[in-house]
Amino acid sequence: MDVLSNNRNTWAVEKVLTYLQQFNHAAESTRVTSVQYLALFAAVAQARLECLLGDYTASLDALSLIQSTSNDVQLINPPRGAEDDAKPLTPAEVVDSVFAAKLNVAYHQGVCYLMLRRYKDASFVLGNICSTMQRGFKAGEYKSIPGSDQFGKLFDRMIALLAIITHACPETGLVEDGIARSIREKHGKQLSKIEAGEEGYEDLFIYACPKFITPSVPRYELASMEGAGAGAGPSNQDAYKLQVKHFMNEMANQQTMRKLRSYMKLYTSISLEKLGRLVMEEDFISLLLSYKHKMRQIESSTNSSGSGGKPSSGSGDESAASTSESVGTVMDIHYFINDGIIHVDEAEKLHRFENYFMSQISQSIDVMANIDSISVNI
């Protein structure tokens, strides 16, 4: 404690962020391979740090170096000692080549999208990495990777996040069938309790969320004294509780909104008075407006178009944002009020089959791999 008290800037968040940002800026003006790799490491570390601090927009902004979709993206030369035929890679390909970094980015990016109420983008990012990991676990691909003992734990946490997203988001087909089965197997009972009106979101989030931290430096000289209590400054538990409270505020009306949606799906038109009696809520008009507002969200155009790209961070000028993002809704019904009557129209259903074919192809590959591994002696 004495060493930390005498060197208060050792773990100062602003200094760490400054160094990480300087590494990122250095890569913009140099072609030195080592500096470019260091900048990618700094981008991953900065995105994780911003997420732990609760600044989710800044966390997504930090990934712009890695997930840039522009045509003039800077290629990175292979490191010294690579094979002669190694080709230059994009920043995204470099990060994807290190599975631990890819997993780190996907997890924290998914948390950010969830907390920003961008459910489609969150399910896209987390669903893709979980599908990849599910196939990798079956094939035993991760056993030789350092730190692979933690992959299973992180996979379970991401499945818990997907359980929250798929339950809070009324749109169906957000994840593949295999991931949907994992969600039902691991968290089916908790989701059933939520449906019955009991608490359950908080337990899922506490299990799945990262360990949030506070940006302030504690007073180490007081922290070492008995009975110092709050005098030492805010603790990481305070930051953690604040984020849990923020999440629960978002989920507070989910039960009522799901009830409202279930009634509206039964009618094409219904009077405000009648629906209000069914839902049994006092401020019913505000609830209708709130439901439509909460289900509107920013969506990545690459995600919504199904092209397989990565959701964007949400930063940049308006012209860039307009080509990569759009405002959509995750509701499976549309409704409007006219002369005291609520008119309800079911959203147009898009018949998409690529997930089914991809899952079947994946299963076929697994079956063929098992057949090839069988030794047949004739």
Side-chain angles (χ1 to χ4, degrees), residues 118-309:
R118 295 176 61 172
Y119 298 132
K120 279 189 179 179
D121 288 342
S123 64
F124 179 79
V125 171
L126 295 174
N128 278 356
I129 191 66
C130 285
S131 297
T132 301
M133 293 180 73
Q134 202 171 50
R135 292 190 292 268
F137 288 142
K138 289 181 181 178
E141 296 177 3
Y142 307 133
K143 292 181 179 178
S144 60
I145 300 178
S148 59
D149 55 325
Q150 299 296 319
F151 292 169
K153 297 178 182 178
L154 198 52
F155 175 81
D156 290 340
R157 291 165 70 183
M158 289 190 290
I159 290 293
L161 290 175
L162 284 171
I164 296 171
I165 294 164
T166 53
H167 194 262
C169 179
E171 185 169 314
T172 58
L174 290 175
V175 294
E176 294 181 5
D177 293 340
I179 299 301
R181 282 195 298 271
S182 296
I183 292 172
R184 288 193 298 270
E185 291 169 2
K186 293 178 182 292
H187 305 291
K189 291 182 179 179
Q190 281 178 291
L191 296 179
S192 298
K193 289 181 179 179
I194 296 173
E195 288 283 357
E198 300 179 25
E199 294 293 333
Y201 283 126
E202 185 172 359
D203 292 338
L204 282 173
F205 185 72
I206 288 173
Y207 170 71
C209 72
K211 306 303 180 186
F212 297 105
I213 59 175
T214 180
S216 61
V217 178
R219 298 179 63 183
Y220 297 110
E221 64 275 10
L222 294 180
S224 60
M225 297 170 57
E226 293 185 6
S235 65
N236 289 338
Q237 279 296 316
D238 296 328
Y240 165 77
K241 291 176 182 177
L242 180 64
Q243 296 304 317
V244 172
K245 182 179 179 181
H246 169 65
F247 171 78
M248 290 307 298
N249 286 340
E250 284 292 337
M251 296 290 113
N253 293 326
Q254 278 294 325
Q255 181 67 25
T256 306
M257 289 180 176
R258 290 179 69 84
K259 183 179 178 181
L260 174 64
R261 169 177 163 270
S262 66
Y263 280 123
M264 284 198 293
K265 284 179 72 71
L266 299 175
Y267 299 91
T268 54
S269 62
I270 182 174
S271 67
L272 279 170
E273 182 182 356
K274 182 178 179 180
L275 185 58
R277 287 198 305 268
L278 292 173
V279 178
M280 293 184 295
E281 286 290 325
E282 294 181 0
D283 202 358
F284 180 63
I285 301 295
S286 297
L287 179 63
L288 281 172
L289 298 174
S290 173
Y291 183 39
K292 181 164 281 193
H293 167 71
K294 282 184 174 292
M295 292 297 104
R296 285 177 64 82
Q297 61 176 28
I298 298 174
E299 299 175 12
S300 169
S301 59
T302 53
N303 178 10
S304 59
S305 64
S307 63

Side-chain angles (χ1 to χ4, degrees), residues 31-42:
R31 299 287 296 174
V32 178
T33 304
S34 59
V35 175
Q36 291 176 318
Y37 274 85
L38 191 58
L40 291 180
F41 166 78

